[in-house]
């Protein structure tokens, strides 16, 4: 069964903002959204919500995504990832979670979508994150 994936920021974002902004990001490392860089916080107000509903800050549609899957917000200096829907499949570093503090380099899995959290964004860190995630995915399959 083919998953219908709509991968786009909602009207709160613009391609210019995405390309110029520097800050925390989730980088998709697997599935059909591989290579996408998702800004999670600057200039839009927190919490930042990811899900399949068009009202989310970032939309990823598919059979493994809930309408409002997770939120990401800065709380007292820590980035907090919270499962919004009790049915949402959320893992951090291969552990199922409902709430977790995420740090630079942590792997976040939303349904079947693997992402890496980058607290300090740059083109180099994106390439490194994708490379490390691919190695870990290969090791998991062996």
């Amino acid at each position: 069964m083919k998953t219908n994936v709509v991968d786009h920021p909602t009207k709160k974002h613009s391609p210019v903002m995405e390309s110029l902004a520097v800050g925390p990001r989730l980088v998709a490392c697997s599935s059909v959204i591989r290579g996408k860089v998702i800004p999670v916080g600057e200039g839009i107000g927190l919490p930042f919500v990811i899900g399949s509903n068009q009202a989310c800050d970032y939309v990823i549609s598919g059979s493994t995504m809930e309408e409002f899957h997770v939120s990401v917000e800065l709380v007292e200096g820590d980035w907090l990832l919270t499962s919004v829907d009790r049915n949402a499949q959320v893992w951090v570093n291969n552990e199922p979670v409902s709430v977790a503090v995420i740090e630079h380099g942590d792997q976040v899995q939303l349904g079947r979508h693997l992402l890496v959290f980058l607290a300090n964004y740059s083109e180099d860190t994106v390439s490194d994150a994708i490379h490390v995630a691919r190695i870990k995915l290969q090791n998991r399959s062996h």
Side-chain angles (χ1 to χ4, degrees):
M1 178 178 180
K2 186 174 180 179
T3 302
N4 176 30
V5 175
V6 177
D7 168 41
H8 64 277
T10 60
K11 62 184 177 251
K12 295 180 183 179
H13 299 282
S14 74
V16 172
M17 184 186 95
E18 217 169 1
S19 65
L20 295 177
V22 174
R25 300 283 190 267
L26 285 167
V27 179
C29 299
S30 67
S31 76
V32 297
I33 64 169
R34 181 180 24 184
K36 298 293 182 181
V37 179
I38 305 168
V40 292
E42 69 278 338
I44 58 166
L46 296 173
F48 184 88
V49 179
I50 300 171
S52 63
N53 190 292
Q54 294 298 314
C56 292
D57 296 303
Y58 200 86
V59 176
I60 306 172
S61 295
S63 61
T64 62
M65 293 295 294
E66 299 300 328
E67 284 193 32
F68 300 93
H69 206 93
V70 295
S71 68
V72 181
E73 64 183 314
L74 188 61
V75 177
E76 297 180 7
D78 290 323
W79 286 100
L80 192 65
L81 179 84
T82 304
S83 175
V84 178
D85 187 305
R86 64 183 173 92
N87 295 318
Q89 299 173 2
V90 181
W91 294 268
V92 173
N93 298 325
N94 298 319
E95 296 291 327
V97 299
S98 57
V99 177
V101 172
I102 54 175
E103 298 177 345
H104 185 79
D106 281 349
Q107 290 188 354
V108 175
Q109 187 166 345
L110 308 178
R112 67 183 191 99
H113 306 285
L114 178 65
L115 305 106
V116 174
F117 179 70
L118 301 178
N120 305 305
Y121 172 79
S122 76
E123 293 298 324
D124 290 337
T125 56
V126 169
S127 296
D128 291 345
I130 292 171
H131 178 71
V132 168
R134 283 184 184 152
I135 290 170
K136 289 182 177 181
L137 282 173
Q138 289 172 353
N139 290 341
R140 249 198 283 174
S141 64
H142 295 293

